[in-house]
Amino acid sequence: MATVDTEQEYPDIVGARPTNPLAANFKPFIPPSVRLPELTLPHLIIGTLLGIVFGASSLYLVLKVGLTVSASIPVAVISITIFRLFAKFGFRDANVLQNNIVQTAGSAGESIAFGLGVTMPAIMILGFDLEITRVMLVAILGGLLGILMMIPLRRALIVDQHGLLKYPEGTACAEVLKAAASKESLTVADQTHTTTGAEIVNEEAAGGGKVIFSGFGIGFAYQSLMGAFKMWKSDPVKVFDAPFKGGSISATIEPALLGVGYIIGPRIASIMCAGGVLAYLVLIPAIKFFGEHVTGAVAPGTIPISEMSPDQVRGAYILYIGAGAVAAGGIISLIRSLPTIWHGLKGGLADLRGGHAASSRAPRTDQDLSMKIVIGGVIFLLLVMMVAPQLHLQWNLLGALLIVAFGFLFVTVSSRLTGEIGSSSNPISGMTVATLLLTCLVFLIVGWTGPHYFVTALSIGGIVCIAASNGGTTSQDLKTGFLVGSTPKFQQIAILCGALASAIALGPILLMLNDRNNVYVPVPPSTELHAPAEELGRSEKLQGPQGQTDQNTYRVWQRLDPGGGAAQRYLVNDQGVPVYLVDPGINGTHKIRPNGSSVMKFDAPKATLMSYIIKGILSRKLPWALVLLGVMIAIVLEMSGIPSLAFAVGVYLPLASSSPIFIGGMIRLLVDRYLKVKFRHKNLSDVELTAEGDKSHGVLLASGYIAGGALAGIVIAFMAGVPNLVDVSKRIEDWSTANNPFFDGANANLLALLPFAVLCALLYLVGRDVLLAARPRHGKLQ
């Protein structure tokens, strides 16, 4: 039940009213004098669970293609739908503030997943084990630090800069929440926000929930039928012969990748796919052409080029070219962003200095968590960083100071840039690159160049990356709360809970995705490799299905590549002789186990970038000729006016990953063109047309594709490590190979495209049907 404070205004609070006229005259959807139920346990729990679900799907995506998509609007729509369904069975419907708590708690998972996927797999590439405690510590510390550092900036950035900093995703989410406000919320809402079409809008908002759930079910079923039951081939491919020997085209026809392409839009999707075209239809055929008659291996390759398949050429040469392009693209993106970052830093600090002091007598909509909690929390987190041995920062005052300096710097910058250009354009990767570059340069100056400091630098970069990412997410959530009239301290508690839960859950999921897809590759007895006794690590047995056939105990040997490539992990016997090469699920290259069963691999492009920055500065061991080719590609693109980072990621990724993203982008292009023609008479700007498209049913269906397909992929990856299920999967695969023309056979590559074509057609039709009808609006944003 809503209650109303007797005191309507707060004229005695110094500085309570902002000097910005737009902010001073703003009235939230729920007035400050009204108190509705807000931070309630069921809504906090559901938001936290949804955060873990969307965080897991985001982690899957960032490991696959280095991208994530915002979860706020899908979580808000799901929350509205769930509690509206509960209301039909006699339970109480959620009011607008409770739905906002759900989306606030649910949004933290995506930003934590991005930071983990960008930094933590680099540990394996650098030659260290991916330990659960290390991963969870980085996730928890970075997630909580970013939120705590953002809280003092709220009044300066969200309140005082209202109307000047747009926070596009936060504003769009507020519109969704207001459009579907419950009757209880409409009764007490400020009348300037209400319209007579509320019931129609409520029905449409509830319909959006059905679209997301339908997309989730379709994506999960499609991925399960394709990945677990082998109903059709998952990677149709065409390899060309002479005169275009080495060229190939392919597509990983997953619903999650199709959904990503639809959401990020045609431009970025096209640029990413163009990078894949360069790699697979230009560079690999060129290497095959010039190396076909070369006798012997060409370093860093280990077999003659004439004997290599396109994927082997990619693994030996293209990955280094792609990594160089990604590194250069990230640094160029950072340099181009420096004026914006500097502007954001100056504006953020100036606003903070002129911000209002907190007051216990402030209106409900202006009450933050106590600064004692904020400062005490930051100090506690720093102490944990300095005493935790997993981070290699034990009583390292310099490392702690770097985290504080870079953390607050980039949380401030991220929070402001999110308000100016939105979360999707926020250069978090560039900020992480800058953190690692500066940290490694400091380490180089003080002489900290040993492998031990690789993990220290990466821990600093990982914590700052997650903090900056979560700082931007928190600012979007607080903007949504500002517009709908939420209580900031309740939102801050909700996102702290959501971040903590997601950090705890996503660490084990990351390790599971890696470990369940390990392949133990037998090392030939004739090998000349021998592990030095001082480099041997802990004892370990084979895990998963291969552990059934070999139950011996081995010692772990992390062998650093003398040429600067990724470290290799071996299991060696008591004499130091390697018995197995452990090919990991993340950045691994062996997709078939010795028994013939297939496994899933993740390329983690941005984690490779981070490892190369650390290795290139501290150890100065890289195949520089190939890396510099990639750098030159990025420079040529920038000189041509093309954003190099998206293109470079496409060069590094398999073309199979970027081609379905391109298809999704083309579907979005067709839908957007239809929208432009349909609303031509309304004279909408490009920004307004994009905003309409971002709230359309097509985007909601694509979000469902992503969540359903990614979670099915995670479940399948988990099954890949269960011995009994692996045997069942192998029998299914053998049957499909012998009897299913959609999975294997002369026409399997073409037939497998038919289910994907149905998926594409459904996405196009849902997007177009929504745009056919003019959607009533729920009031006007002040």
Side-chain angles (χ1 to χ4, degrees):
M1 180 180 294
T3 60
V4 181
D5 291 342
T6 55
E7 191 174 351
Q8 298 292 324
E9 299 290 341
Y10 301 83
D12 56 326
I13 298 173
V14 177
R17 188 169 292 277
T19 55
N20 169 16
L22 292 173
N25 297 322
F26 171 76
K27 295 180 180 180
F29 184 70
I30 301 297
S33 57
V34 175
R35 293 186 180 273
L36 289 170
E38 190 168 355
L39 185 63
T40 48
L41 188 60
H43 303 86
L44 181 60
I45 292 174
I46 288 180
T48 300
L49 293 176
L50 289 174
I52 294 172
V53 169
F54 279 90
S57 62
S58 294
L59 182 61
Y60 181 89
L61 286 178
V62 77
L63 292 176
K64 272 273 188 181
V65 294
L67 296 172
T68 61
V69 293
S70 176
S72 291
I73 290 179
V75 170
V77 173
I78 290 174
S79 172
I80 293 164
T81 306
I82 289 175
F83 288 103
R84 194 137 301 164
L85 181 64
F86 285 172
K88 292 182 178 180
F89 291 94
F91 296 95
R92 182 174 179 173
D93 193 5
N95 63 54
V96 67
L97 302 186
Q98 290 170 320
N99 281 325
N100 186 50
I101 288 293
V102 175
Q103 75 83 19
T104 300
S107 63
E110 176 264 329
S111 55
I112 291 175
F114 178 80
L116 281 181
V118 163
T119 58
M120 286 297 96
I123 288 177
M124 293 187 301
I125 303 172
L126 294 171
F128 297 88
D129 288 333
L130 197 62
E131 298 175 0
I132 181 63
T133 50
R134 180 182 294 148
V135 174
M136 291 178 64
L137 273 172
V138 169
I140 293 170
L141 294 172
L144 299 184
L145 195 66
I147 297 167
L148 292 174
M149 286 184 168
M150 166 57 204
I151 290 173
L153 300 171
R154 186 194 64 85
R155 288 187 181 86
L157 298 181
I158 307 299
V159 180
D160 290 354
Q161 296 292 311
H162 174 63
L164 305 177
L165 296 179
K166 303 299 184 183
Y167 289 99
E169 289 91 348
T171 301
C173 189
E175 287 292 287
V176 171
L177 290 172
K178 291 192 293 182
S182 64
K183 292 180 180 179
E184 178 187 20
S185 304
L186 292 174
T187 302
V188 298
D190 188 282
Q191 294 305 304
T192 58
H193 292 272
T194 59
T195 70
T196 57
E199 292 297 329
I200 299 175
V201 179
N202 267 278
E203 291 178 6
E204 187 172 335
K210 297 176 182 178
V211 172
I212 288 186
F213 282 115
S214 298
F216 181 92
I218 293 169
F220 193 93
Y222 180 101
Q223 186 73 25
S224 299
L225 291 173
M226 179 180 70
F229 296 99
K230 314 297 181 185
M231 295 295 291
W232 54 87
K233 193 173 183 178
S234 61
D235 296 274
V237 61
K238 170 64 177 176
V239 179
F240 300 107
D241 293 322
F244 197 47
K245 192 172 184 179
S248 64
I249 54 175
S250 58
T252 301
I253 49 176
E254 295 186 1
L257 299 181
L258 179 68
V260 167
Y262 188 92
I263 290 176
I264 66 175
R267 177 166 170 75
I268 298 300
S270 298
I271 292 173
M272 278 188 65
C273 191
V277 169
L278 176 68
Y280 278 77
L281 298 177
V282 179
L283 295 179
I284 292 177
I287 291 172
K288 289 289 287 184
F289 177 79
F290 291 110
E292 188 70 18
H293 302 291
V294 175
T295 58
V298 178
T302 57
I303 62 174
I305 292 175
S306 59
E307 299 176 13
M308 289 183 175
S309 67
D311 283 339
Q312 288 174 316
V313 174
R314 172 180 176 265
Y317 307 104
I318 302 302
L319 287 184
Y320 295 109
I321 297 174
V326 171
I331 294 171
I332 292 170
S333 175
L334 171 66
I335 294 172
R336 293 178 62 185
S337 302
L338 281 178
T340 307
I341 291 175
W342 177 244
H343 168 71
L345 177 62
K346 286 198 303 181
L349 294 179
D351 291 338
L352 184 58
R353 286 196 299 269
H356 309 308
S359 171
S360 59
R361 301 191 59 221
R364 177 186 60 79
T365 53
D366 200 35
Q367 295 175 0
D368 291 303
L369 283 176
S370 167
M371 285 304 296
K372 294 180 181 178
I373 296 176
V374 173
I375 296 174
V378 171
I379 293 174
F380 173 76
L381 293 176
L382 289 176
L383 290 175
V384 172
M385 295 175 201
M386 293 177 66
V387 301
Q390 294 85 357
L391 303 180
H392 292 196
L393 281 167
Q394 296 98 311
W395 303 111
N396 188 329
L397 183 59
L398 177 60
L401 291 176
L402 288 173
I403 289 174
V404 172
F406 292 137
F408 186 74
L409 166 68
F410 289 126
V411 166
T412 302
V413 170
S414 174
S415 298
R416 188 174 181 90
L417 290 185
T418 300
E420 293 181 346
I421 58 179
S423 297
S424 58
S425 302
N426 197 6
I428 299 296
S429 294
M431 298 180 200
T432 309
V433 168
T435 299
L436 286 177
L437 282 172
L438 295 173
T439 299
C440 290
L441 289 174
V442 171
F443 283 12
L444 193 64
I445 291 171
V446 299
W448 295 351
T449 58
H452 170 84
Y453 292 104
F454 291 4
V455 176
T456 305
L458 194 59
S459 298
I460 293 172
I463 291 171
V464 171
C465 176
I466 295 173
S469 182
N470 229 12
T473 298
T474 302
S475 62
Q476 292 282 17
D477 291 333
L478 292 175
K479 181 64 174 183
T480 301
F482 174 75
L483 295 174
V484 301
S486 290
T487 307
K489 65 180 179 182
F490 291 155
Q491 277 192 280
Q492 291 154 8
I493 293 171
I495 197 168
L496 284 169
C497 293
L500 180 61
S502 293
I504 292 173
L506 293 179
I509 292 174
L510 175 65
L511 265 71
M512 182 270 293
L513 289 175
N514 179 68
D515 295 342
R516 296 289 186 176
N517 292 285
N518 278 346
V519 175
Y520 297 94
V521 183
V523 178
S526 59
T527 181
E528 297 179 359
L529 290 177
H530 190 277
E534 63 274 11
E535 294 183 12
L536 295 180
R538 67 172 187 263
S539 298
E540 187 174 296
K541 289 185 176 183
L542 275 66
Q543 303 294 319
Q546 288 182 258
Q548 289 186 314
T549 57
D550 185 348
Q551 299 183 1
N552 295 318
T553 301
Y554 299 95
R555 297 288 297 279
V556 175
W557 176 37
Q558 292 279 6
R559 177 180 178 267
L560 299 179
D561 185 355
Q568 293 177 313
R569 191 171 189 266
Y570 286 94
L571 297 184
V572 303
N573 59 22
D574 294 335
Q575 290 74 43
V577 177
V579 180
Y580 294 101
L581 167 67
V582 184
D583 188 69
I586 300 174
N587 284 104
T589 56
H590 293 266
K591 298 182 180 181
I592 305 294
R593 290 195 177 99
N595 67 353
S597 61
S598 59
V599 296
M600 185 186 304
K601 295 293 181 179
F602 300 90
D603 292 287
K606 297 198 175 168
T608 304
L609 158 64
M610 305 307 166
S611 70
Y612 276 35
I613 289 173
I614 293 174
K615 190 183 301 181
I617 295 177
L618 296 185
S619 72
R620 298 177 290 281
K621 290 182 179 178
L622 284 175
W624 285 107
L626 295 173
V627 171
L628 289 174
L629 282 176
V631 171
M632 294 303 116
I633 289 174
I635 291 174
V636 168
L637 289 166
E638 292 291 339
M639 292 175 68
S640 304
I642 300 171
S644 59
L645 184 56
F647 188 96
V649 170
V651 174
Y652 182 85
L653 288 174
L655 179 61
S657 297
S658 55
S659 52
I661 293 176
F662 172 73
I663 294 170
M666 292 302 99
I667 296 173
R668 177 66 180 267
L669 177 65
L670 295 175
V671 171
D672 284 352
R673 283 185 174 178
Y674 177 81
L675 171 66
K676 190 172 184 178
V677 172
K678 183 67 179 178
F679 291 102
R680 182 172 47 196
H681 63 284
K682 291 190 175 183
N683 296 319
L684 298 178
S685 67
D686 290 340
V687 174
E688 290 171 325
L689 283 169
T690 301
E692 283 295 318
D694 287 343
K695 292 180 284 185
S696 73
H697 283 188
V699 168
L700 296 179
L701 185 70
S703 299
Y705 279 1
I706 292 170
L711 288 179
I714 291 171
V715 172
I716 294 169
F718 176 79
M719 292 167 54
V722 180
N724 292 335
L725 293 178
V726 168
D727 293 338
V728 173
S729 178
K730 183 67 169 59
R731 287 197 293 270
I732 293 174
E733 187 171 347
D734 291 341
W735 183 91
S736 294
T737 301
N739 301 287
N740 186 354
F742 282 76
F743 183 78
D744 193 49
N747 299 314
N749 288 314
L750 288 176
L751 292 175
L753 295 175
L754 295 179
F756 189 68
V758 173
L759 205 66
C760 295
L762 181 62
L763 181 59
Y764 172 73
L765 293 173
V766 169
R768 180 163 175 155
D769 285 343
V770 166
L771 302 178
L772 280 170
R775 307 192 313 141
R777 304 293 305 177
H778 185 65
K780 178 174 71 173
L781 182 64
Q782 297 297 303

